[in-house]
């Protein structure tokens, strides 16, 4: 019997939905289908434009279009899924705290000690009431301040110190996304921070153990993820991406040119590899090829420089023997790996080999821009037995009326509860013009996130709650009313 898994990546230019399957006894996941839908009016720099009702509604329509396309193509009913999001407002914070060992007679560290220090760190207050702790995981422990270990259970000591990685993000992002389940007709099981989950798909076990940097070059966001000891040690989302290249290319190309197409077909990251007199044709126009390569090279040099600074600031610059792995839509530009290797003086390769993936349909090509969605789908496989219901004929009824699978127990992945906070505002998308009203325009501006800095987790904060399990029941019974609204 096949098990199906659904992963959705919310990108600044596209929403990508991937359906994978695994037959009983198999380990690798087979790709069944991929749907790509444009999302530019809904997501800005990886951030859902929650201040614009039209943007939120449009995002729901985009996801539903991807869902219906795959349902029609594969003859299935998608009822649950996992989502991934890379947001410039999301950041990584390293936190340390120390507690006395509970068993003072023997000094043996047990599960009680780990639970206590985990609770303390999980209660750390954020810098803004609009933020919350999305995820947190231990990096290492110290016994008596000196002995470092990944698992201190059973060791003896008087003091236990823990170093944790926290992912801080805006609460309204997860809350609004979960609220879309009525429109989607599918349950959102969990929301991942994309930079923290892509490495099992993109790098080998050896690279993940010894140290490597993954650079995801998106349209408006570039994610930098440092992996070592088979875990994410640090990540940062930068508000720069391929749109910088597109904007410069528009200034030298004919007005009606398809900039993205020309960039990927003819673009090269090294202008020295293009002949001076070489030209390309765009309709009836002739364009000097080297001019295109010069623009691309200049912008990619800027991005490489920023990436190098982020890695240096992380403290892991000397612990990445395997250098850099490039993914994301812009990583398909010719010779981009050679440029990064030249600028960063480290080994660099494209993510041209995927791990954990088996067969895929011959007409289903996995592009670099779809890697994040595939990574989310692989995470989905860890938490649930099935995400879809097979049908002999795809039903034509509205998706909000889909019945749950009889006898299937809902998966309960571990996640950090997030208490709903006051919404924060973000920059409006192009089709709305708040600048006409100066007071409203000021409200829409957001200060950039401050640099990550370690805090003491002994400061008490407050956790939160998640949406009720009854959402699915109301989605099924009130679906028609919600559609009219």
């Amino acid at each position: 019997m096949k098990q199906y898994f659904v992963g959705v990546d919310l990108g600044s230019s596209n929403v990508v939905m991937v359906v994978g399957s695994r037959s009983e006894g198999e380990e690798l996941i087979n790709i069944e289908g991929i749907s790509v839908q444009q999302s530019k009016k809904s997501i800005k720099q990886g951030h859902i434009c929650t201040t614009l009702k039209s943007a939120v509604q449009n995002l729901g329509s985009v996801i539903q279009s991807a869902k219906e396309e795959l349902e029609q193509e594969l003859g299935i009913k998608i009822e649950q899924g996992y989502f991934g999001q890379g947001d410039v407002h999301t950041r990584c914070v390293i936190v340390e705290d120390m507690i006395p060992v509970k068993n003072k007679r023997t000094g043996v560290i047990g599960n009680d000690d780990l639970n206590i220090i985990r609770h303390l760190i999980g209660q750390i207050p954020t810098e803004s009431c609009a933020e919350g702790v999305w995820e947190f995981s231990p990096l290492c422990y110290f016994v008596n301040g000196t002995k470092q270990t990944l698992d201190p259970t059973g060791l003896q000591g008087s003091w236990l110190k823990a170093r944790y990685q926290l992912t801080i993000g805006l609460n309204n992002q997860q809350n609004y996304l979960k609220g879309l389940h009525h429109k989607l007709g599918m349950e959102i099981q969990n929301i991942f921070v994309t930079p923290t989950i892509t490495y099992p798909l993109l790098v080998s076990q050896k690279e993940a153990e010894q140290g490597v940097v993954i650079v995801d070059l998106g349209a408006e966001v570039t994610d930098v993820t440092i992996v070592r000891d088979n875990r994410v040690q640090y990540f940062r989302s930068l508000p720069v991406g391929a749109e910088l290249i597109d904007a410069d290319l528009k200034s030298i190309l004919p007005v009606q040119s398809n900039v993205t197409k020309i960039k990927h077909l003819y673009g090269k990251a090294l202008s020295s590899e293009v002949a001076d007199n070489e030209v390309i044709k765009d309709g009836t126009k002739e364009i000097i090829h080297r001019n295109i390569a010069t623009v691309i090279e200049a912008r990619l040099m800027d991005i490489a420089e920023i990436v190098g600074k982020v890695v240096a600031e992380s403290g892991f610059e000397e612990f990445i023997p395997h250098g850099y792995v490039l993914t994301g839509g812009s990583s398909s530009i010719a010779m981009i790996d050679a440029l990064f290797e030249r600028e960063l003086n480290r080994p660099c390769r494209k993510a041209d080999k995927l791990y954990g993936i088996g067969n895929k349909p011959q007409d289903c090509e996995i592009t670099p821009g779809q890697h994040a969605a595939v990574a989310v789908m692989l995470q989905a496989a860890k938490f649930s037995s099935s995400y879809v219901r097979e049908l002999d004929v795809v039903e034509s009824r509205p998706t909000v009326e889909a019945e749950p699978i009889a006898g299937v127990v809902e998966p309960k992945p571990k996640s950090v509860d997030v208490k709903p906070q006051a919404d924060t505002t973000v920059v409006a998308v192009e089709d709305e013009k708040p600048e006409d009203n100066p007071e409203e325009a000021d409200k829409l501006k957001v200060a950039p996130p401050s640099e990550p800095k370690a805090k003491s987790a002994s400061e008490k904060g407050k956790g939160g709650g998640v949406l009720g399990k009854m959402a699915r029941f109301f989605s099924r019974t009130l679906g028609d009313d919600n559609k009219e609204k």
Side-chain angles (χ1 to χ4, degrees):
M1 180 180 177
K2 272 188 179 181
Q3 299 174 338
Y4 290 86
F5 316 101
V6 178
V8 183
D9 173 50
L10 304 178
S12 296
S13 59
N14 294 312
V15 166
V16 183
M17 181 177 290
V18 176
V19 175
S21 70
R22 179 173 57 197
S23 298
E24 189 173 353
E26 291 183 351
E27 293 184 5
L28 299 179
I29 307 296
N30 299 322
I31 304 297
E32 296 287 343
I34 299 176
S35 177
V36 181
Q37 306 288 331
Q38 288 191 352
S39 61
K40 285 187 176 181
K41 292 185 179 294
S42 305
I43 300 177
K44 190 71 174 176
Q45 292 186 336
H47 184 91
I48 302 173
C49 301
T50 54
T51 56
L52 301 175
K53 185 178 180 180
S54 60
V56 177
Q57 292 175 342
N58 182 64
L59 178 61
S61 298
V62 169
I63 299 172
Q64 189 175 41
S65 295
K67 172 178 174 286
E68 291 175 351
E69 179 181 323
L70 288 173
E71 288 179 332
Q72 183 70 29
E73 176 185 340
L74 303 177
I76 58 177
K77 197 70 175 176
I78 298 175
E79 295 181 324
Q80 304 172 9
Y82 273 64
F83 283 65
Q85 184 181 8
D87 182 358
V88 292
H89 299 287
T90 305
R91 65 187 189 276
C92 169
V93 178
I94 307 301
V95 178
E96 294 182 349
D97 206 353
M98 180 183 294
I99 61 169
V101 176
K102 187 176 182 180
N103 193 333
K104 298 186 180 300
R105 183 176 64 84
T106 64
V108 176
I109 298 171
N111 289 331
D112 287 346
D113 298 295
L114 300 185
N115 291 335
I116 291 172
I117 202 163
R118 178 180 174 86
H119 175 75
L120 289 175
I121 289 177
Q123 299 300 308
I124 183 174
T126 56
E127 294 181 357
S128 167
C129 63
E131 295 181 327
V133 178
W134 284 17
E135 300 173 359
F136 63 106
S137 58
L139 295 177
C140 62
Y141 295 91
F142 300 87
V143 180
N144 288 343
T146 56
K147 185 175 179 60
Q148 182 175 343
T149 178
L150 298 178
D151 184 6
T153 307
L155 300 179
Q156 287 184 309
S158 302
W159 291 88
L160 175 65
K161 179 180 178 182
R163 178 178 297 161
Y164 268 68
Q165 177 197 97
L166 275 64
T167 300
I168 308 295
L170 298 177
N171 293 325
N172 66 354
Q173 292 293 288
Q174 292 197 350
N175 295 338
Y176 272 89
L177 188 57
K178 290 177 180 178
L180 287 175
H181 71 277
H182 290 288
K183 183 176 182 62
L184 303 180
M186 62 183 292
E187 185 177 354
I188 299 175
Q189 291 293 95
N190 202 353
I191 305 169
F192 295 108
V193 179
T194 310
T196 67
I197 64 168
T198 55
Y199 79 91
L201 173 71
L202 303 177
V203 302
S204 66
Q205 184 74 19
K206 183 178 179 180
E207 289 173 322
E209 287 287 349
Q210 297 180 358
V212 68
V213 180
I214 299 173
V215 182
D216 188 337
L217 298 157
E220 297 179 354
V221 179
T222 295
D223 294 322
V224 182
T225 306
I226 301 175
V227 181
R228 182 176 168 84
D229 295 329
N230 204 29
R231 66 182 66 193
V232 173
Q233 300 287 347
Y234 183 82
F235 79 89
R236 180 106 175 254
S237 295
L238 307 171
V240 294
E243 284 200 349
L244 297 176
I245 301 174
D246 295 351
D248 282 356
L249 286 177
K250 288 178 181 178
S251 66
I252 66 170
L253 294 177
V255 177
Q256 301 300 325
S257 297
N258 187 327
V259 175
T260 303
K261 181 180 179 180
I262 291 176
K263 177 181 66 177
H264 289 289
L265 282 180
Y266 304 108
K268 291 186 178 180
L270 299 179
S271 60
S272 60
E273 299 298 318
V274 181
D276 292 337
N277 59 351
E278 186 176 340
V279 297
I280 61 176
K281 286 190 176 183
D282 180 29
T284 59
K285 303 287 185 179
E286 288 189 349
I287 307 167
I288 299 176
H289 195 181
R290 191 161 191 172
N291 288 348
I292 296 175
T294 300
V295 168
I296 293 175
E297 181 178 26
R299 280 306 187 185
L300 288 178
M301 286 173 62
D302 292 340
I303 295 175
E305 181 182 0
I306 297 172
V307 169
K309 288 181 179 179
V310 168
V311 175
E313 292 171 0
S314 72
F316 284 91
E317 189 174 19
E318 301 303 320
F319 302 97
I320 51 170
H322 295 280
Y324 295 80
V325 175
L326 305 181
T327 184
S330 296
S331 68
S332 61
I333 296 175
M335 301 180 183
I336 189 174
D337 48 345
L339 181 141
F340 267 75
E341 189 166 314
R342 182 191 73 187
E343 295 298 311
L344 299 174
N345 197 27
R346 291 277 186 171
C348 185
R349 69 173 179 85
K350 295 184 180 182
D352 50 7
K353 183 178 180 180
L354 303 182
Y355 299 85
I357 298 296
N359 298 326
K360 64 182 189 304
Q362 292 183 353
D363 58 347
C364 183
E365 179 184 1
I366 302 175
T367 65
Q370 299 166 359
H371 287 170
V374 176
V376 176
M377 184 271 297
L378 289 181
Q379 289 294 313
K382 294 183 178 180
F383 293 105
S384 178
S385 59
S386 186
Y387 277 85
V388 306
R389 176 158 51 93
E390 290 185 323
L391 304 174
D392 293 331
V393 178
V394 178
E395 301 175 21
S396 59
R397 65 186 182 186
T399 55
V400 294
E401 297 179 1
E403 296 295 329
I405 307 173
V408 175
V409 179
E410 291 186 58
K412 297 181 179 180
K414 295 181 179 179
S415 60
V416 178
D417 289 344
V418 179
K419 182 178 180 180
Q421 303 281 0
D423 288 350
T424 188
T425 55
V426 297
V427 179
V429 293
E430 295 179 0
D431 58 338
E432 307 252 353
K433 297 183 177 179
E435 64 268 18
D436 295 338
N437 186 336
E439 294 182 1
E440 291 299 318
D442 290 338
K443 294 180 181 180
L444 291 174
K445 295 179 181 178
V446 177
S450 57
E451 292 291 328
K453 53 186 178 181
K455 299 181 179 180
S456 172
S458 58
E459 301 174 59
K460 301 292 184 179
K462 294 184 179 181
V466 295
L467 297 175
K469 292 286 184 179
M470 295 299 293
R472 191 200 230 177
F473 169 79
F474 289 112
S475 172
R476 190 166 62 249
T477 57
L478 302 178
D480 292 336
D481 292 338
N482 287 329
K483 283 185 65 179
E484 294 176 2
K485 293 180 183 178

